[in-house]
Amino acid sequence: GNSVTQMEGPVTLSEEAFLTINCTYTATGYPSLFWYVQYPGEGLQLLLKATKADDKGSNKGFEATYRKETTSFHLEKGSVQVSDSAVYFCALTLYGGSQGNLIFGKGTKLSVKP
Amino acid sequence: GAGVSQSPSNKVTEKGKDVELRCDPISGHTALYWYRQSLGQGLEFLIYFQGNSAPDKSGLPSDRFSAERTGGSVSTLTIQRTQQEDSAVYLCASSLSGGVETQYFGPGTRLLVL
């Protein structure tokens, strides 16, 4: 079946540290890939996305590259801030038709200490 | 503009009672999704609407769950004869037309079944 696996947290980093959150997927067909973020007390919001192989999504200093050969979409940021503390969800949707329901990973909680 | 709104924000009910959860999507969005977020299961897809029709109900966990959407706008998710395992945060999302369009999430309804 279709699924997303992401590294378990929590992840605790110091401010300005480098961040990587691993995400791999299993999918039939050609998925589009997403990272969603949930800040404390707020709703889920899209962070970035990539719709085909080798695409790089980027936003707010975060990046992720769609790697078909390794079925991965790892999230990276060069220098994290305290305000990046949140839960990060990797997700996929299968292109084709108008549906697009998201299949999510379990989420990774990130805490950034000053 | 206004985002996705959900009501109530919190609901406490007794086992065996019926509950109705409401979602107001972003105006003009034809696609609407319900998800459930629970500690044990993470984020799970429940049902998808395109306009007023629901071509995919595959995520509904049992026949106690149903949903409708009227006028291509407001949607209600109904859970009959609630069980303790139904306790979760129920999230609604809408997108312009489905597919890989960005989904915008509401704040969720936190349901607690005693």
Side-chain angles (χ1 to χ4, degrees):
Chain A
N2 304 306
S3 65
V4 174
T5 302
Q6 61 182 105
M7 61 187 287
E8 292 189 20
V11 174
T12 303
L13 295 173
S14 297
E15 207 165 22
E16 300 184 2
F18 184 85
L19 169 71
T20 300
I21 301 178
N22 290 337
C23 171
T24 57
Y25 67 88
T26 301
T28 54
Y30 302 95
S32 293
L33 302 172
F34 304 80
W35 277 100
Y36 274 80
V37 60
Q38 190 170 33
Y39 296 103
E42 297 185 18
L44 269 173
Q45 54 187 275
L46 178 68
L47 180 59
L48 53 84
K49 69 179 182 183
T51 57
K52 62 182 188 296
D54 299 326
D55 270 2
K56 178 187 283 188
S58 61
N59 186 24
K60 299 182 180 180
F62 291 89
E63 293 183 339
T65 302
Y66 186 159
R67 302 283 188 203
K68 187 179 176 184
E69 63 275 14
T70 53
T71 61
S72 65
F73 193 55
H74 304 321
L75 182 68
E76 296 183 337
K77 186 174 185 181
S79 176
V80 293
Q81 305 300 313
V82 173
S83 57
D84 294 326
S85 297
V87 182
Y88 293 81
F89 294 90
C90 186
L92 69 82
T93 190
L94 286 165
Y95 185 76
S98 61
Q99 183 157 330
N101 57 284
L102 293 163
I103 297 168
F104 287 93
K106 297 284 190 188
T108 303
K109 183 175 181 179
L110 170 66
S111 295
V112 180
K113 306 297 185 188
Chain B
V4 178
S5 61
Q6 294 185 245
S7 60
S9 53
N10 290 281
K11 178 71 177 179
V12 180
T13 190
E14 293 179 350
K15 179 181 170 181
K17 301 280 191 184
D18 297 352
V19 295
E20 271 193 4
L21 312 179
R22 176 186 167 106
C23 171
D24 276 280
I26 293 172
S27 177
H29 281 195
T30 64
L32 186 147
Y33 307 81
W34 283 98
Y35 297 88
R36 180 168 72 173
Q37 186 173 24
S38 58
L39 277 174
Q41 301 298 322
L43 270 158
E44 308 170 272
F45 164 74
L46 298 178
I47 189 169
Y48 156 71
F49 286 92
Q50 182 60 246
N52 289 337
S53 64
D56 187 353
K57 305 179 183 180
S58 64
L60 294 178
S62 76
D63 58 9
R64 296 186 295 104
F65 287 72
S66 63
E68 64 175 16
R69 189 179 185 194
T70 55
S73 181
V74 172
S75 175
T76 54
L77 177 69
T78 301
I79 309 173
Q80 295 179 308
R81 305 180 302 282
T82 52
Q83 304 294 312
Q84 288 183 330
E85 62 262 28
D86 300 334
S87 296
V89 178
Y90 290 82
L91 297 172
C92 176
S94 70
S95 74
L96 193 59
S97 57
V100 298
E101 294 281 344
T102 298
Q103 293 184 28
Y104 296 86
F105 283 79
T109 293
R110 186 175 298 274
L111 174 66
L112 178 61
V113 182
L114 300 176

